Amino acid sequence: MRAAHAPAETGGSLDTPPGDRIVGALHFSGTRALNNSLDTAQTGFDPTLRSVVEALNADIERYPGPVGNAFRLVPDSDILRGRYHGMTIRPGFSMVLSDLHYTAENLYHHVCGDYMKLHFRLCGGSVIGSEQKEDVAVPAGRMSYLVQPPDSVKYERVGAESHERSITMICSKDFMSELLSPNTPDLPVPIADFLRARGPRFTHSGLPMPPQIRPIVEDILSPPQTGPLGNLMMEAKALELLCFAIKQILGSARTADSIRPRDRRKIEDLCQMLDEDTQASLSIADLCRHLAWNETQMMECFKQVTGTTISNYRQRVRMDNALRQLCDTDASITEVAFNAGYEHPSNFATAFKRTFGFSPRLARARLN
């Protein structure tokens, strides 16, 4: 059985220099597809999650999930370490949680089943591509959807010294058909084709992750509880995230008609500038000058596309950066507060808890 999310094991760096297309025979030089002879007929995994389990050439820890079996994998090698979880929320609806540190550049290939995927990335970046589509960068702070023909291959390059924290939802056609009709107003054509079983082309579409979605993603990636109560929380949060994501996809399709493609590209560039300007050193006037854009138009368009203001987006960037420091460094909470631009750690702690729902001290304990 072919796997729907099959990583390819690499021997280290990629054969192709960064910037070159990742699709091509060269990329399989020095790689071997992972093949697990696991008989999944009796494993208790939903097909959307079974496809992931079959692709893993490693011992996994099974435990009861919201539906059927869930799995947990804790890789620990010179190249990769972290946590990799998978669980089924409803029949035909699973999600995979990634909190992984890469010390070397890696290439994966994913063989697609007849599923649609939703992806939410808090940290890290990668580049994806296929035989059908040019490479696409997937940066941090994005949510996206992916449809591709069954049995086609998606290639993904992850850079060295990268820390990925992300959620991938895997949805079957039957599950999505219970939520959406192919004739749903504002439904993107690739998703409508997927629901109609028309054999969609490889399509990856992304947009900045709205502020109201980020805390849900964080809660799922760092659950405060395990066992039955933890499963209940994960189920509730996953369904909430799915509903928000669908509404955002439909809303994005509506705004696409009212916003010029050139302006949408400017918003993409603006979000990237804000993501990189963690110290908020660029003023609104600086941003307008860089983008050659009128301030009023820029701020109105930004709110329309992202659902938030530039000020609120910036605040979220500061908090996300603080969270990464708590997770990835040994800096004290006071140092993290100063780095985030706060003179008083107590003010930082208040803002942090308002953003994530838990304190910096608890964040460090949960993430480490």
Side-chain angles (χ1 to χ4, degrees):
M1 180 177 178
R2 301 188 73 179
H5 185 84
E9 181 180 339
T10 73
S13 299
L14 300 180
D15 302 296
T16 302
D20 290 358
R21 291 209 62 204
I22 56 178
V23 175
L26 280 176
H27 289 89
F28 289 99
S29 169
T31 70
R32 63 179 180 87
L34 297 182
N35 179 28
N36 193 343
S37 60
L38 174 69
D39 178 9
T40 60
Q42 304 299 325
T43 61
F45 289 109
D46 185 86
T48 52
L49 195 59
R50 185 189 310 156
S51 60
V52 179
V53 173
E54 288 179 334
L56 296 172
N57 189 27
D59 291 330
I60 60 172
E61 175 191 347
R62 295 185 182 90
Y63 63 96
V67 173
N69 278 341
F71 77 83
R72 182 181 294 108
L73 176 64
V74 183
D76 187 7
S77 70
D78 293 337
I79 295 176
L80 181 65
R81 60 184 177 84
R83 296 174 292 172
Y84 192 66
H85 295 182
M87 64 188 65
T88 300
I89 305 301
R90 290 281 192 275
F93 171 43
S94 296
M95 63 180 181
V96 175
L97 319 179
S98 301
D99 191 341
L100 300 169
H101 296 258
Y102 295 85
T103 59
E105 193 174 51
N106 280 264
L107 174 71
Y108 298 90
H109 75 268
H110 307 254
V111 184
C112 187
D114 198 12
Y115 306 125
M116 171 181 154
K117 296 179 181 178
L118 297 165
H119 187 71
F120 310 86
R121 182 167 300 201
L122 288 181
C123 302
S126 66
V127 177
I128 66 171
S130 77
E131 293 90 343
Q132 299 177 334
K133 188 177 179 68
E134 294 290 326
D135 300 343
V136 178
V138 185
R142 303 280 291 179
M143 60 164 285
S144 55
Y145 72 83
L146 172 69
V147 292
Q148 61 188 118
D151 297 325
S152 64
V153 179
K154 180 192 78 172
Y155 302 86
E156 183 168 14
R157 187 209 312 267
V158 182
E161 302 303 326
S162 175
H163 178 197
E164 178 186 351
R165 301 185 72 231
S166 68
I167 296 174
T168 299
M169 291 180 165
I170 308 170
C171 306
S172 71
K173 189 180 283 89
D174 289 343
F175 176 78
M176 291 300 295
S177 295
E178 293 178 359
L179 304 177
L180 296 168
S181 160
N183 299 317
T184 299
D186 303 312
L187 187 68
V189 171
I191 299 179
D193 286 345
F194 167 76
L195 295 176
R196 293 189 178 103
R198 287 183 175 174
R201 293 181 57 82
F202 182 100
T203 303
H204 175 274
S205 181
L207 61 154
M209 193 183 302
Q212 64 267 33
I213 284 182
R214 288 173 174 257
I216 307 174
V217 176
E218 187 60 58
D219 284 344
I220 294 174
L221 285 172
S222 305
Q225 293 178 308
T226 58
L229 284 178
N231 282 340
L232 184 63
M233 188 279 285
M234 295 292 268
E235 180 181 2
K237 290 292 183 181
L239 294 173
E240 183 182 17
L241 180 59
L242 177 66
C243 290
F244 267 123
I246 291 175
K247 287 176 62 177
Q248 192 69 22
I249 289 171
L250 296 177
S252 176
R254 284 193 293 272
T255 59
D257 295 333
S258 60
I259 297 179
R260 296 176 299 178
R262 181 180 64 182
D263 290 342
R264 293 186 66 85
R265 287 193 295 271
K266 284 187 176 182
I267 294 299
E268 296 281 340
D269 293 340
L270 176 54
C271 287
Q272 184 175 350
M273 292 168 64
L274 295 174
D275 289 339
E276 294 172 352
D277 186 28
T278 57
Q279 299 299 318
S281 60
L282 295 173
S283 67
I284 294 294
D286 292 332
L287 296 172
C288 291
R289 191 160 45 251
H290 279 289
L291 295 169
W293 210 358
N294 173 273
E295 179 178 335
T296 301
Q297 290 179 334
M298 180 180 73
M299 298 185 77
E300 289 179 352
C301 192
F302 187 90
K303 177 69 178 293
Q304 193 172 358
V305 172
T306 66
T308 191
T309 64
I310 292 177
S311 176
N312 287 339
Y313 190 97
R314 272 189 148 151
Q315 175 67 2
R316 187 69 205 204
V317 168
R318 294 167 76 191
M319 292 298 104
D320 285 344
N321 188 53
L323 185 65
R324 282 194 291 272
Q325 291 181 58
L326 292 171
C327 180
D328 294 341
T329 74
D330 295 327
S332 69
I333 293 176
T334 299
E335 290 174 311
V336 173
F338 289 156
N339 292 339
Y342 287 84
E343 294 183 6
H344 303 290
S346 60
N347 293 342
F348 165 71
T350 299
F352 188 95
K353 187 170 184 179
R354 187 186 305 121
T355 300
F356 297 111
F358 48 85
S359 68
R361 191 176 302 278
L362 183 57
R364 170 147 283 170
R366 286 167 60 178
L367 294 174
N368 295 292

